[in-house]
Amino acid sequence: MTNSTVVRPVDTSLRSAIRIALWFALAKLLLHIAGTLWQQHIGVGYFRDEFYYLMCGRHLAWGYVDHGPIIAVQARLAETLFGHSMVGIRMFSAMAGAGRIFLTGLLCWSLGGKRAAQSLAMLGCMCMPLYLGVDSYLSMNSFESLFWMTCLLALIMLLRDEKDGVDRRWMWWTIFGVSAGIGLLNKPSMAFFLVCLGIALLFTPQRRVLFTRQAAFGIVLLTVIAMPNLVWQMHNHWPMLEFLHNGRVGNKNIRLNPAAWILNQIMVIGPWNAFVWIPGLVHLLRRADRRWIGLTWLILLVLMIALGAKDYYFASIYPILFAAGGIAWTNRFAARPAVQQDRVFAFPVAFATIIVLTALVLPTAIFVLPPMTYVAYTKALHLPSSDNENTGGHQILPQFYADRYGWQENLDEITRILGTLSPQDRARVGIFGGNYGEAASLEWLGDLEHRNLPTVISEHNTYWLWGTRGLDGEVILVDRKTSPKKLLEYYYDVQVVGHVDHPLSMWYERHDIYLCRHRKVPLAPDWAESKNYY
């Protein structure tokens, strides 16, 4: 007798799906690399939040006031591997965007979609304006959909295995737990997705997957992974809850009524993409075995509207709708020869329409036009503003673009002022940034250009937790929009020594710079009252 080995047949459809998904993912990655290189060419700088995340990366912790720890790790790795390269700093976000496209293709395959469906799904996802924006700079938002969609893929594959008589529950629930746990460390909004997903499952026959040892293990695993952040929040008196509360009572975000919120979703996803994702939603809700996915979208939609969430908080769920939309299209046009032959470009008119319309609005998602050309272009096409926060003032550019201007000029003015100080003042002086953008940009750009700046502090968000950093505050440059009258409440001597006024920056980044001497109250005990979580 000869020994025989049972060999499982290779799934050629998976190989094909991976191959085509890799090509689309590569195209997405190259698009963002080219976008950053072009922005550098036309003089566009770093985005405000990027400076802050980079400084958080230099102060690694299990938590921060206004974001999770993963973005700080991302920033630290980017700086370690790529130094001060803007392309390098944004590389992981671009790769996360590419990963989202790859997952969209795999999700479509997992639902039974072939190449024609996969390509349409990935193209729609790639050409979503909001994704183009968040993937173009250092951000935790680019990673969020990776964790959401990996959880969905694990559950879809688990149910598929169940149907095929294969038991890989331990593997899929482990993947689910790891993805959900890291997702919670990336953004706490992952919790909203998980709750809505759990409710949707409970309302459908697929609830059975929740009541197993493997599911319990997955839930425990995600809890253990996320626990250090929860402990950090408790230890620091729940700063993120305070931050969210302050934003809500201060009307920081623009609140929309339900109809306006949904309309805004359609706009930021791209109205043309509605012809892909809406059929996908219908497909999911009609299929009894997939209804739990559609219900997850509906429940999360209601929750996000009720909370007045920003548009991108909800956006991470759309890849699965694009994946289902590709299948809906191939089902609807199954009689077409191109669909029967499973061609990648089975829908050439749809492809061309998506690409052309996306190209028209691309300047509103990625900063590819010079500023004044952008202003003229958006006015000519009557394109809406992308702002989702109440900034309290006006500027030429929307906040997403205006927050890339004024930082270099601010550094130059601070450097000039430092050069005029006496040796005694220069030895003791510190810099107070009014917000994390002002403080972090000085630290990052100052290091980049070897300006040898003194210590920088700020009362804003996590900067406040870092404290006075050894400064006594007796001599300090105040780099913020304020008034001498306000500063004289804290100092005996206040002088206007400089001014920054970049025409393209945010309105509150145009202000005087003050040299303050001789505090009335020591800085350290006064610091507790200066906290600004907003």
Side-chain angles (χ1 to χ4, degrees), residues 114 333-343 346:
K114 296 183 179 180
F333 300 104
R336 287 189 177 184
V339 175
Q340 292 178 345
Q341 296 167 16
D342 195 26
R343 295 179 185 173

Side-chain angles (χ1 to χ4, degrees), residues 110-139:
S110 71
L111 295 173
K114 296 183 179 180
R115 295 197 310 166
Q118 294 159 18
S119 59
L120 180 61
M122 287 187 287
L123 181 69
C125 193
M126 185 187 301
C127 292
M128 181 169 153
L130 191 147
Y131 286 161
L132 289 169
V134 300
D135 297 340
S136 66
Y137 70 102
L138 176 64
S139 168

Side-chain angles (χ1 to χ4, degrees), residues 42-46 48 367 369-376 394-407 409 500-510:
I42 62 176
V44 178
Y46 287 93
R48 172 193 302 271
F367 208 158
L369 293 178
M372 299 317 297
T373 304
Y374 165 84
V375 172
H394 300 283
Q395 58 276 330
I396 295 173
L397 298 171
Q399 182 183 13
F400 187 50
Y401 288 169
D403 267 338
R404 302 166 195 243
Y405 286 97
W407 310 118
E409 290 71 19
V500 285
D501 190 21
H502 195 291
L504 298 176
S505 69
M506 292 296 292
W507 66 273
Y508 48 77
E509 298 300 348
R510 304 174 211 150

Side-chain angles (χ1 to χ4, degrees), residues 25-39:
L26 178 61
K28 167 77 169 175
L29 178 62
L30 293 176
L31 170 66
H32 286 291
I33 291 174
T36 296
L37 289 171
W38 179 251
Q39 288 176 52

Side-chain angles (χ1 to χ4, degrees), residues 168-188:
R168 293 185 291 184
R169 288 177 294 175
W170 285 108
M171 181 183 76
W172 294 122
W173 275 112
T174 299
I175 291 172
F176 182 97
V178 170
S179 180
I182 299 176
L184 287 166
L185 294 177
N186 181 64
K187 283 191 72 174

